[in-house]
Amino acid sequence: MSNGKPARAVILAAGLGTRLRPLTAELPKPMVPVCGRPIITTILDGLRLAGIREIYIVCGWHKEKLLPLRESYPEVQFIDNPDYEKANNISSIVCAGEHLQDALIVEGDLYFRNPEVFQHVGAVSNYLAIAVPSSDDWCFFTDGARRIQRMAVGSEGQPCWQMVGCSYWTAADGRRLLADAWALYDTPGGHARYWDEVALTAHLGEYDVRVRPCTAEDVVEIDTVEELHALERSLR
């Protein structure tokens, strides 16, 4: 990490976005507009504000709809994921290759209300996460140093950190992440795995990954049309 910021960012934008149908029937989920602007532009604006100029978008579903982003963001480069229809997002990680080193990895369907979360990412690998009294979503349990000890779906009523799909990986961890992702991808059932499981399930305890706190006001994950409309109402 040079000058206190990541060298690059990788945005995952290849998926089908089925939970946001019919809006994603012919449009990648990150290109769905919120108050007239595509979701992904809040990521790109935040990265630009943080001074990150090497940006890769891993694309698949209706990738041609992402290409016009180059007009406003000429620093963007595209990576094709040919397996997006038959594999989970671990396929996008293996496609990203060496670009995972000293990199932010961001899910393309996150709406960032606070672009400053892309700054001061820290010197160790980490995930953005929100402290909550309980969660029925993907969440982390940590030690006193906010080191992730376990990842789960649902906290069973316990306090936890709710995962936000934005993480930073050091150069060393990024190199290892790629190798471990390929190894998991090639196992039976590996195509169905989420990429986060590489470090935090398959190799739990072998990586030093921390939580970087944020709030629910900083970033919103949009999964359904109802959530999209609720966000638009809050922004008006």
Side-chain angles (χ1 to χ4, degrees):
M1 185 166 58
S2 60
N3 301 319
K5 67 174 182 289
R8 57 192 58 84
V10 175
I11 303 174
L12 308 182
L16 298 170
T18 54
R19 287 187 291 176
L20 205 60
R21 294 286 174 90
L23 301 181
T24 53
E26 297 184 2
L27 194 68
K29 187 177 178 182
M31 291 300 290
V32 170
V34 176
C35 295
R37 295 196 68 209
I39 296 168
I40 197 172
T41 59
T42 66
I43 301 172
L44 295 171
D45 289 345
L47 295 174
R48 180 176 281 178
L49 183 65
I52 300 170
R53 293 292 184 265
E54 188 180 336
I55 302 171
Y56 302 90
I57 300 178
V58 184
C59 51
W61 176 248
H62 281 291
K63 61 184 179 182
E64 74 281 356
K65 302 294 179 62
L66 289 156
L67 301 182
L69 289 170
R70 288 291 299 274
E71 296 174 11
S72 299
Y73 305 95
E75 63 269 38
V76 165
Q77 302 178 62
F78 296 96
I79 298 172
D80 186 40
N81 177 355
D83 294 333
Y84 74 92
E85 286 190 281
K86 59 183 180 182
N88 216 321
N89 62 9
I90 190 174
S91 61
S92 289
I93 290 299
V94 299
C95 288
E98 64 184 13
H99 305 309
L100 303 176
Q101 299 176 34
D102 190 13
L104 283 165
I105 301 177
V106 191
E107 293 180 8
D109 59 355
L110 296 176
Y111 186 94
F112 285 86
R113 302 177 74 163
N114 178 12
E116 293 187 5
V117 299
F118 293 109
Q119 305 186 43
H120 314 297
V121 300
V124 299
S125 299
N126 60 76
Y127 271 80
L128 280 180
I130 302 165
V132 293
S134 66
S135 176
D136 58 4
D137 207 337
W138 286 92
C139 58
F140 304 129
F141 297 89
T142 63
D143 62 15
R146 294 178 179 157
R147 183 181 293 106
I148 296 173
Q149 302 290 292
R150 183 166 65 92
M151 179 176 69
V153 180
S155 68
E156 298 181 346
Q158 301 299 310
C160 64
W161 294 91
Q162 185 161 305
M163 177 198 289
V164 175
C166 176
S167 57
Y168 167 71
W169 299 84
T170 65
D173 283 350
R175 283 191 295 271
R176 179 172 183 182
L177 182 65
L178 176 60
D180 289 342
W182 266 117
L184 182 60
Y185 196 58
D186 284 338
T187 63
H191 284 48
R193 304 293 287 271
Y194 290 99
W195 81 265
D196 313 90
E197 296 179 89
V198 175
L200 299 180
T201 300
H203 295 275
L204 182 64
E206 299 175 23
Y207 289 76
D208 180 5
V209 185
R210 312 292 178 97
V211 155
R212 183 160 62 95
C214 69
T215 73
E217 295 301 313
D218 292 326
V219 57
V220 179
E221 182 176 4
I222 303 169
D223 281 331
T224 66
V225 174
E226 291 74 18
E227 290 173 349
L228 171 64
H229 292 163
L231 174 60
E232 287 183 317
R233 287 192 297 270
S234 74
L235 294 171
R236 291 191 178 115

